[in-house]
Amino acid sequence: ILLPIYWVVWGVFKPAVLDAPATFVGVAVVNTAFKVISTGMLLPFSSSLEKLVCRLVPDSKTAEKKVELDNRLLATPPVALQQCGNVIREMAEVSIRAFKNALRALNDPSPELAESIRADENLSDHYEDVLGTFLIQLSAERMSQADSEEATKFLKVIGDFERISDHAVNILESAEEMREKQLSMTEQASREFATFSAAVEEILDNSLNAFLNNDLVMAINVEPLEQVIDSLRDQLRDRHIKRMQQGECSIGMGFIWSDLLTNMERTADHCSNIAVSIIDAHAHNMNAHQSLRSMKEGNPAFLEKLDDYSRKYMLPQEND
């Protein structure tokens, strides 16, 4: 718009200023005038331009959250570790939320819930990629012994939290398969699975809270519950085989049942790994096997907690 005006002014009026050499002041004045005039011309159309841009580049239906860690933090490892801790805490809550929602999906077939579970799993994957890369770079920096142990703990737990979100998607897929094939649990199986689910939800809460609060006592209580969950998995598998043999349950549902039990039990294993990482960090020892042995062998507190959980999550009597 302004260029034709310029040529008309230059051709008709031939102002001397247009033939004068450019100066710093002249360039500044012309540039300022051009921007003021352009703004004044576009201002009345601002609303229309906004609508046009929104139509040309529509917003995504779901907001995509990306997390990055600034490499400049690597120069100060304590600050970098603190920021990593903040991001891992967000990752932990996302992964646990995805798993609990997956358990809800067994009874709630809403597409919105399924979409949120997959979105959380994708976000958890992104967290692991960013954190893993950053922590490996950080490990190459000069750090104190305490900071080095903290970085090692973080590297261990991010993989476990990410795998928990993977198992959440696996459970969601089992729920979708049940609906697609119009399969369902028997009444007895539903009661048994409710007990199993309650135990897994408690171990998720315990491991999450132990990590968020760096709570050694709560971390120690995770392992006896994991042992109970292992036992429950075996009992549930044996009971379901009996139901299939007696014709009370289909082979198709048997496969889904087995997948559900496997994903639940492996999730409990990852909770145990997280708890052991916390225990190792408190003991300044990165040998997980040694920590587990010392926790179990000849430990009255461990056996007492194991007995408490065994009674708390006792399966209902068969055909009750």
Side-chain angles (χ1 to χ4, degrees):
I1 292 172
L2 293 177
L3 189 59
I5 296 174
Y6 166 81
W7 285 112
V8 169
V9 171
W10 184 84
V12 175
F13 300 101
K14 296 187 183 300
V17 68
L18 295 181
D19 289 327
T23 64
F24 289 118
V25 174
V27 170
V29 170
V30 171
N31 184 52
T32 302
F34 174 80
K35 291 183 176 179
V36 169
I37 294 170
S38 298
T39 302
M41 293 169 61
L42 291 172
L43 197 58
F45 305 100
S46 59
S47 177
S48 300
L49 287 171
E50 180 188 3
K51 292 177 182 177
L52 176 62
V53 171
C54 289
R55 293 193 67 176
L56 292 175
V57 189
D59 289 335
S60 171
K61 291 183 179 179
T62 57
E64 184 177 1
K65 182 177 180 181
K66 292 296 181 184
V67 177
E68 304 297 340
L69 290 165
D70 195 330
N71 284 341
R72 288 175 294 183
L73 293 173
L74 294 171
T76 52
V79 177
L81 280 172
Q82 182 179 10
Q83 184 59 23
C84 283
N86 294 336
V87 176
I88 296 174
R89 280 187 280 274
E90 292 179 16
M91 177 188 186
E93 291 174 345
V94 164
S95 299
I96 302 302
R97 180 178 68 211
F99 196 91
K100 289 187 175 183
N101 282 339
L103 293 178
R104 283 178 52 205
L106 291 167
N107 299 312
D108 178 6
S110 70
E112 294 79 13
L113 185 59
E115 184 179 353
S116 73
I117 293 167
R118 290 191 166 94
D120 281 342
E121 192 272 335
N122 289 332
L123 181 55
S124 183
D125 285 347
H126 176 67
Y127 277 127
E128 186 192 28
D129 291 341
V130 171
L131 285 162
T133 301
F134 188 83
L135 284 166
I136 289 172
Q137 292 175 325
L138 182 61
S139 299
E141 301 292 326
R142 176 173 290 181
M143 292 188 291
S144 67
Q145 180 67 25
D147 287 345
S148 178
E149 291 174 356
E150 187 79 351
T152 300
K153 180 181 78 171
F154 286 166
L155 275 169
K156 286 182 176 182
V157 301
I158 59 174
D160 289 301
F161 282 124
E162 190 277 331
R163 288 296 295 144
I164 289 173
S165 69
D166 287 344
H167 290 302
V169 172
N170 292 344
I171 290 176
L172 171 64
E173 290 173 349
S174 293
E176 292 172 338
E177 184 180 357
M178 286 173 61
R179 286 191 291 276
E180 180 183 341
K181 296 180 179 179
Q182 297 183 338
L183 299 172
S184 61
M185 300 180 190
T186 64
E187 183 180 346
Q188 177 68 20
S190 294
R191 291 204 302 267
E192 294 171 356
F193 191 78
T195 301
F196 192 43
S197 297
V200 173
E201 288 202 48
E202 180 168 349
I203 201 172
L204 285 166
D205 289 336
N206 287 354
S207 59
L208 175 62
N209 290 326
F211 178 77
L212 294 180
N213 302 312
N214 198 27
D215 189 329
L216 178 61
V217 174
M218 189 163 287
I220 290 173
N221 289 337
V222 167
E223 187 58 28
L225 182 52
E226 193 275 333
Q227 298 260 311
V228 170
I229 288 171
D230 283 349
S231 175
L232 287 172
R233 185 271 319 270
D234 294 339
Q235 294 178 61
L236 290 172
R237 187 168 289 166
D238 291 344
R239 289 187 177 198
H240 206 73
I241 290 173
K242 289 180 182 179
R243 283 193 288 270
M244 287 193 296
Q245 291 173 340
Q246 296 168 0
E248 298 175 9
C249 181
S250 67
I251 297 295
M253 187 61 216
F255 288 129
I256 295 174
W257 181 262
S258 179
D259 288 341
L260 287 172
L261 298 186
T262 298
N263 282 291
M264 301 276 276
E265 187 273 331
R266 288 180 181 172
T267 295
D269 288 342
H270 290 298
C271 291
S272 173
N273 293 342
I274 293 165
V276 170
S277 296
I278 296 167
I279 295 168
D280 286 344
H282 275 272
H284 306 289
N285 172 31
M286 292 294 108
N287 189 334
H289 295 292
Q290 180 179 336
S291 295
L292 286 173
R293 278 199 303 272
S294 61
M295 191 188 310
K296 297 176 185 179
E297 293 177 359
N299 187 341
F302 176 86
L303 296 176
E304 181 181 354
K305 203 66 184 176
L306 180 66
D307 184 59
D308 289 342
Y309 282 130
S310 297
R311 285 186 278 106
K312 181 177 181 178
Y313 293 110
M314 186 176 297
L315 292 176
Q317 292 294 322
E318 294 183 86
N319 299 322
D320 184 11

